[in-house]
């Protein structure tokens, strides 16, 4: 029996949430869950339809992207997950979707501007769009470079991966993460909804103003600050 | 056993209608139901997913926003509800959502113009958008000030809360109300549909004309006037 | 027991199709079915939610709009139905919805241009939009005048109600009809889909050309002409 | 008993996927499955609603479009299928829908530009739109000519039907194909999603750039190239 039964179950459930939340079509997208103590993560096998997926199909991979356990080939995006886990040691889960509005924004190569409190409830910055990768990066170790492109975008903008748990990769699609795989998937759904709202807003009013700072701060603080009062105390 | 069993049940059912009507994602949004005789209302606890919600979780709060009964922290928007109940004594229920099209309109900081009879069946005015709050209001008692911002918008435009049962708060989202919590939720769904129709209308024809007065009056009167003939006599 | 049991059943089933096809919200919309031999039609009672509707609730009305049988008040749009049945003796059913895209087009006061074969499979003309009603018509017998406005639009454009089974009423919403109530409801769904396609088409390409005549004729003929070969022979 | 029981079953299941994937309304659309050894295909009967369809209703037709077995009239688009099967001997299934976004693009008479990796995962070219047919083609043997119009578009652009498994027919709608009927239907869903994403992308940013070649090649190669690493080895 697998040593990673529980981890696989978490990854499995997170993957199954993606179609439930209408974030994926067919086999597009994937989620993973990390076990920091053992420096591995469980990820969806590549190209398996969600309706056929079983918890035991999850592939266990280390943070260098090497398969540790599992009879199937892991998601083709596994290297991207590995890079992020290796670099950002506070994250416990990652999700990647081709959700409709988030992907459309990625195709515009533009950040999703912060236009309202729905956005500010989750992050205080525009949702960043990492620039298109260079030809060298694409032709090299592509999925690994995708991870580096994400990290470079955070570094060059001095963003914190703990405060901004999502990004668009230009011409590709969203990646999201969080302390848990569940939170990563949650963030994918938030990104899609915020992307849709921003789209509609700018269609109605192309010059709709960015949310002003005090309101950004207020909504963030009430949910995430030291004296947060959203949700139940834990 | 709770003294407020029935009130909690009403509030619970109204909250559960929000995801059924596709008006909320995750824990976004909340509904409350008031008991005018006892000057209290029942409201959703903060941050609890709808699928885990039970009637008994509803928190009983007085019109000053103080918790009267309940083991959980009430919605972070509780103060906004309290202000509205205190100010407008004809309302028995309030709903707040981040529904997609309504929220997008709020992000444009624009009223939703009255463009057709679907709108006029429910109100004779553009759906007002309260202006962005001042920095002082935001940094002060934010949720209470949100309530005041709503009331100020109604006062300055000389709108009647009994005829216009909905508003957008700029950069935030819709609030709706009514004689009952059920009506408040109904109004949230109407607002979302009207917001979507207005969006599409203006995309096709940016100069689509406002509905003319006689038609506004006719549709309002047939549903709400003294000789209304819509619906069944009661 | 009712003399109109069967007719009520047909009207009931047609009404229940409207929410199934996502064409109505709450109590918006209504369908009716006519019995030509007895010069009556069965129509939805006013303001009753679809989930509470029973076949026996249908109200039997004559072609002058007078109630013949039924304990409830008929739809507030009953007079519009009556005018159309009286005027156009080839129709056996009528449907009225506030479906999202159809209503948005009605709010633009524009015809829906014929842009493709999906449209041409059902009619060879733009979907007409009857102009806004005069103040006198609105303030007079409004629903009856709505019927006359529809008929006038057909007369002035020399359209055949047997070939064009749908119309938008400006600033209001679609009305559709057909030989049966089932066909009328079918046409409401077709109108909504065609309205959505035309909207998207014109957003991508505002000068998208009207479908050319030979293709309009070909698609119409293969479904409706003397040597039609769409569907099964009957 | 039918000699084609298995083939009919495949065609039936592929047809039933179309409404499941929200690609068709009412009787619009059809799918077929070919048996290359016997030079026939099974196709949906014309005008039969999906909910009434049974596997045994499928009509067996040869590659000249002649009915070989079946009590019902085959889809009115049968000749188009026949032409494609006859011309392109590597395909085993064809699907035709009037899916909303794909059809809207067809109505613009424009190719769907390749804007991101969701598109590039499936084909390396813009999704071609065959030009409007000449009046002679329309008035002649229309459905057969539709097939020729598709093939001519591929020939004149030097596209490979094995690499590009989809096309829009101007003012009409999408056709897709593949090695199997299942793949053809899959391609219809991909086309619809890519069409929607491209629409949203260009609404946000009308000058969104085409995906650059190295990224097109990378995504195609990882799924379809000699050293493909997407999916499980077979």
């Amino acid at each position: 029996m697998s040593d990673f039964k529980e981890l696989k179950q978490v990854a499995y459930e997170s993957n199954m949430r993606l179609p439930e939340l209408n974030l994926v079509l067919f086999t597009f997208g994937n989620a993973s869950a990390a076990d920091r103590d053992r420096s591995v993560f469980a990820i969806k096998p590549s190209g398996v339809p969600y309706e056929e997926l079983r918890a035991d199909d999850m592939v266990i991979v280390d943070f260098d992207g090497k398969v540790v356990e599992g009879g199937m080939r892991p998601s083709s995006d596994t290297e991207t997950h590995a890079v992020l886990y290796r670099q950002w040691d506070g994250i416990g889960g990652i999700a990647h979707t081709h959700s409709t509005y988030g992907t459309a924004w990625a195709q515009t190569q533009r950040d999703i501007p912060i236009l309202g409190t729905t956005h500010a409830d989750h992050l205080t910055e525009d949702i960043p769009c990492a620039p298109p990768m260079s030809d060298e990066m694409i032709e090299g170790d592509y999925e690994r470079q995708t991870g580096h492109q994400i990290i470079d975008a955070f570094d060059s903008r001095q963003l914190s991966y703990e405060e901004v748990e999502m990004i668009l990769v230009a011409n590709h699609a969203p990646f999201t993460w969080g302390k848990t795989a569940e939170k990563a998937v949650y963030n994918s759904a938030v990104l899609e909804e915020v992307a849709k709202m921003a789209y509609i807003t700018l269609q109605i009013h192309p010059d709709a103003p960015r949310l002003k700072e005090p309101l950004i701060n207020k909504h963030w603080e009430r949910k995430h600050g030291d004296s947060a009062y959203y949700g139940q105390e834990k």
Side-chain angles (χ1 to χ4, degrees), chain A:
Chain A
M1 210 183 101
S2 170
D3 280 353
F4 303 99
K5 201 168 150 60
E6 212 170 318
L7 187 64
K8 285 180 171 181
Q9 183 65 27
V10 172
Y12 169 71
E13 286 172 15
S14 295
N15 274 290
M16 294 308 288
R17 284 289 280 161
L18 297 177
E20 274 172 42
L21 290 163
N22 290 315
L23 298 172
V24 297
L25 178 67
F26 298 125
T27 63
F28 308 0
N30 45 72
S32 68
D35 180 335
R36 286 277 161 194
D37 291 337
R38 300 204 267 181
S39 294
V40 296
F41 61 98
I43 192 165
K44 185 174 174 292
S46 184
V48 177
Y50 291 92
E51 59 272 28
E52 297 173 12
L53 208 59
R54 297 165 313 145
D56 200 45
D57 294 337
M58 299 297 119
V59 186
I60 304 296
V61 183
D62 69 20
F63 292 172
D64 289 319
K66 229 167 14 190
V67 171
V68 172
E69 184 190 295
M72 303 180 93
R73 190 188 275 171
S75 164
S76 58
D77 298 302
T78 296
E79 287 276 12
T80 311
H81 291 241
V83 169
L84 299 182
Y85 283 126
R86 206 161 55 226
Q87 184 75 13
W88 291 338
D89 57 18
I91 63 176
I94 297 173
H96 169 52
T97 79
H98 287 223
S99 65
T100 312
Y101 290 86
T103 302
W105 273 99
Q107 293 186 162
T108 67
Q109 306 184 353
R110 291 183 178 172
D111 300 348
I112 303 177
I114 181 166
L115 298 170
T117 64
T118 318
H119 187 136
D121 280 336
H122 298 95
L123 68 166
T124 62
E125 307 282 342
D126 295 349
I127 298 174
C129 182
M133 290 161 73
S134 70
D135 294 358
E136 292 68 36
M137 292 178 87
I138 293 167
E139 282 152 9
D141 194 345
Y142 173 61
E143 289 79 12
R144 186 169 298 207
Q145 296 299 334
T146 301
H148 290 306
Q149 188 75 350
I150 291 171
I151 286 160
D152 289 352
F154 267 64
D155 287 351
S156 71
R157 295 173 183 228
Q158 299 184 279
L159 295 175
S160 153
Y161 75 83
E162 288 175 300
E163 289 179 11
V164 176
E165 298 181 324
M166 54 187 74
I167 197 168
L168 307 173
V169 175
N171 296 119
H172 189 164
F175 284 84
T176 63
W177 51 85
K179 287 204 176 117
T180 62
E182 190 186 0
K183 183 71 191 305
V185 170
Y186 171 93
N187 283 332
S188 284
V190 166
L191 183 149
E192 179 65 3
E193 182 64 19
V194 167
K196 184 171 182 183
M197 284 176 177
Y199 162 70
I200 299 166
T201 303
L202 295 174
Q203 290 294 307
I204 301 173
H205 182 16
D207 301 316
R210 212 171 166 272
L211 192 62
K212 60 185 191 173
E213 287 302 323
L215 201 47
I216 292 176
N217 296 335
K218 182 67 197 180
H219 268 262
W220 176 261
E221 288 300 323
R222 74 178 203 164
K223 224 169 173 174
H224 307 274
D226 287 342
S227 48
Y229 50 92
Y230 183 90
Q232 303 302 319
E233 291 181 78
K234 274 150 195 173

